[in-house]
Amino acid sequence: MTTFRVRYAPSPTGHLHIGGARTALFNYLIARKMGGQFIIRFEDTDQTRHVESGVSNQLDGLKWLGVEWDESVDIGGPYGPYRQLERLELYRPFVDQLLREGNAYHCYCSEADLEQERAEQEAKGEMPRYSGKCRHLSAEQIEAFQAEGRKPSIRFRVPEDRIIGFTDKIREEVEFETNGIGDFIIVRPDGIPTYNFAVILDDHLMKITLVIRGEEHLTNTPRQIMMYEALGLPVPEFAHLALILNQDRKKMSKRDESIIQFIQQYQDLGYLPEAVMNFIALLGWSPKGEEEMFTREELIEQFDLDRMSKSPAVFDMDKLNWMNNQYIKKADTARIVALAIPHLQRAGRLPETLTAEQQQWVHTLVALYQEQLSYAAQIVPLSELFFREEVTFQDEEAAAMMKEEHAPIVLGSFLTQVEQASELNVDALKAMMKAVQTETGYKGKQLFMTIRVALTGQMHGPDLNVTLHLLGKETVISRLKKLL
Ligand code: GLU
């Protein structure tokens, strides 16, 4: 029996993008579900787009998300190397076979020749494609080109009048006419194979049984199938994932600012990886029931290519934030504190190293807002009131509350209580509120909201006693005095 083997094959051109993360995740989930293997290899033959840290960026991003792999550049494996530029030797026999059997040929056309050809075709209103000019060069012509010093590329000879069909596991029956496809380059003049050629050799040599990738590769598939056939190699199965659209239902582009595009950014902002994984899993896959929250193990159990959507997935940032908030609410506070601290430090609100007391303080602060956080970085705007020199009132209504008749009475009484207290802990504050109530006769909103607005500027907010405890005696006294 053949082992189920799938792969993710990014070009190391930068950070891990949402689309790439989804492809990797789906491959990983199905591999685990099927008890197969998941391979990550790098398509680095396009050196103009090469980024030095591209490989580690991809792997680090996936590791953070919780995706695991069985073979790659970092852990090796029996089918390596896992970078195309290190595999050039392995491709050579296949190039020779195609040339020998007449399924490929040398093409001496220069960029300028091709440009001219394209222009002529466009002028005639034809779809531009390579005319096949070098298909039947004579020995003399070849010699003449070589004497000129031209370096040939190698093109695949596309068979005429054929229909290439395959059954895609998501898109079902797909067909392409070969007459629409010009002979395409498989090896560039510098000897480096192009994507379409290298990818089939890697998939073959790495014994990949199912290719899961983005829909943008659908039109590459007939080219790849023709080459498998020409080489007499078995063709793997294919599953092409529908596009991901942004919130305006337009194709997601890397410049789009309405959504966060890179996994690293989610990590930096303090999203929880299990929430991001859960969310990405729903981009094109739908679970059986109503439930949408899944652990990694549940995703592995439930994931199924039969439940993939043919129509594009819409990336809904609000839903991601909602989902991340659900996970944050359930998370251990200490974990959220660890994510929040660097943001408070960067905002200049905490020193580089924290005393035990400061650590305790920030723990209480984060716990106060944990329910509200969509991601850890939000602690900075949410907790602003603790760090401001002066109270600013959120609106006129709040400011007006301070002018009401009862305000100075309540606040004056509260100030006396605070001044007498040794420290502002939650129990002490409860007792003080009672005392103010007894002394002034004000209660409910007139008591609590007055104190809240006076000290925070806000009419509503998290637990008042904890808020006052965090502000501390000194700040409470100085804010009250300024106001009175
Ligand atoms: N390097 C290609 C990409 O990043 C991989 C395509 C494939 O999976 O065949 O889109």
Side-chain angles (χ1 to χ4, degrees), residues 168-288:
D168 188 275
K169 288 188 106 51
I170 297 168
R171 311 208 57 84
E172 296 168 23
E173 298 313 313
V174 184
E175 282 188 348
F176 288 92
E177 291 182 19
T178 59
N179 288 353
I181 306 174
D183 294 350
F184 52 90
I185 295 179
I186 57 173
V187 181
R188 290 192 295 254
D190 60 5
I192 297 189
T194 56
Y195 156 70
N196 268 315
F197 187 45
V199 76
I200 71 149
L201 300 177
D202 289 342
D203 284 337
H204 167 67
L205 294 168
M206 294 183 185
K207 300 200 160 43
I208 301 303
T209 53
L210 169 63
V211 171
I212 304 172
R213 61 186 172 199
E215 193 181 271
E216 65 275 17
H217 288 290
L218 193 64
T219 53
N220 285 321
T221 309
R223 290 174 173 77
Q224 295 172 12
I225 292 176
M226 289 190 280
M227 289 187 284
Y228 280 113
E229 289 180 353
L231 287 164
L233 303 176
V235 183
E237 291 195 283
F238 293 96
H240 287 93
L241 306 170
L243 296 177
I244 304 175
L245 304 182
N246 67 18
Q247 264 149 305
D248 306 329
R249 302 194 157 258
K250 296 210 184 76
K251 187 172 182 297
M252 194 162 73
S253 96
K254 296 206 175 161
R255 282 175 301 270
D256 203 330
E257 282 177 13
S258 68
I259 44 188
I260 301 174
Q261 308 253 356
F262 295 99
I263 297 301
Q264 170 88 51
Q265 294 172 290
Y266 288 102
Q267 186 176 358
D268 291 345
L269 285 168
Y271 281 79
L272 298 183
E274 63 271 34
V276 179
M277 175 187 277
N278 189 157
F279 175 79
I280 292 176
L282 299 173
L283 292 174
W285 169 71
S286 51
K288 276 204 188 85

Side-chain angles (χ1 to χ4, degrees), residues 405-417:
E405 193 188 323
H406 65 271
I409 303 166
V410 167
L411 297 175
S413 164
F414 184 57
L415 175 60
T416 313
Q417 292 288 331

Side-chain angles (χ1 to χ4, degrees), residues 10-14 42-52 83-85 88 188 190 192-196 198:
S11 307
T13 52
F42 290 90
E43 309 210 316
D44 57 355
T45 58
D46 185 354
Q47 284 177 298
T48 56
R49 293 168 63 226
H50 193 81
V51 174
E52 199 38 50
R83 287 175 209 257
Q84 289 181 330
L85 283 181
L88 298 180
R188 290 192 295 254
D190 60 5
I192 297 189
T194 56
Y195 156 70
N196 268 315

